[in-house]
Amino acid sequence: MLEGLRMQRVTFHVMTDEVPQTALALARTGSFSPDMSNQEYENELPETPANEYRNLYQSANNRLCKIHEHLAVTLPRPSLKSATLPDLETLRIIDQELTELWAECSECEEHQRELDEEIHLIDSLLHSLHNFYGLEINLAQLREQKTFLDLQVGLVPVENLARLRQAAGLAGYIVEVFHREKHQVHIVLAGLAGEGKENIESVLRAAGYRTFPIPEAFNDTPENLHIELEKRRQLLLEDKQRHHHK
């Protein structure tokens, strides 16, 4: 009476370049039948098992370096009592925790950048405002067009000021200087709108006149604007200091 032979499942782990020779040797025995139905070991033992660990380590290490740079600190290297390494699952947890921590640091960095931009903008406005300190008027009134009054703010070379005043007076305009520099003066030109405005254009061109735009943010007197801008700047610096110590 014929009886079936007992079968055993065995698994061989060989180097990739040795697979052909191994397969040939097993075939020659006539006792080995490949089991193609079970992919369990292929999933557990991928061709390059170290890749995922290496990628996770590099990801976690890169984020840790960024966090150190953001905090501006150099942490001491820990002394390990034994040469133990975290397993893959532990490394995943570490990488996730560092990802969340870096997200908070990144958000803080973005806020600091926005604060720096606002402070820079205020510094620029304060610098521009310095040119208008000689005016005791709401600067928005000089920027807005009037129906019956022609108001212009601009620059003219110092050597052309006297001639401009004389020619502008003949056209029905007055010229007031509100800020002086070495080679040029800041002036306000005022006159009635109408024919006089057409006549003054050629006078201004001959005098080398250039328009000096008033920033849209200047909607008060220079004195009040200076107080408000300095107050805003101080609040931004305090906000920046608070976030720096978080």
Side-chain angles (χ1 to χ4, degrees), residues 144-178:
E144 297 169 355
Q145 295 294 326
K146 303 293 189 297
T147 304
F148 303 106
L149 185 64
D150 179 25
L151 286 175
Q152 300 187 47
V153 179
L155 305 169
V156 78
V158 174
E159 62 270 18
N160 296 344
L161 178 60
R163 188 165 64 251
L164 173 62
R165 272 183 167 150
Q166 183 179 6
L170 295 175
Y173 278 75
I174 60 172
V175 177
E176 289 293 332
V177 176
F178 63 89

Side-chain angles (χ1 to χ4, degrees), residues 10-30 32 34:
V10 295
T11 302
F12 294 91
H13 301 290
V14 298
M15 302 297 291
T16 302
D17 56 358
E18 295 177 353
V19 169
Q21 293 88 342
T22 303
L24 181 60
L26 292 172
R28 284 173 176 169
T29 66
F32 181 79

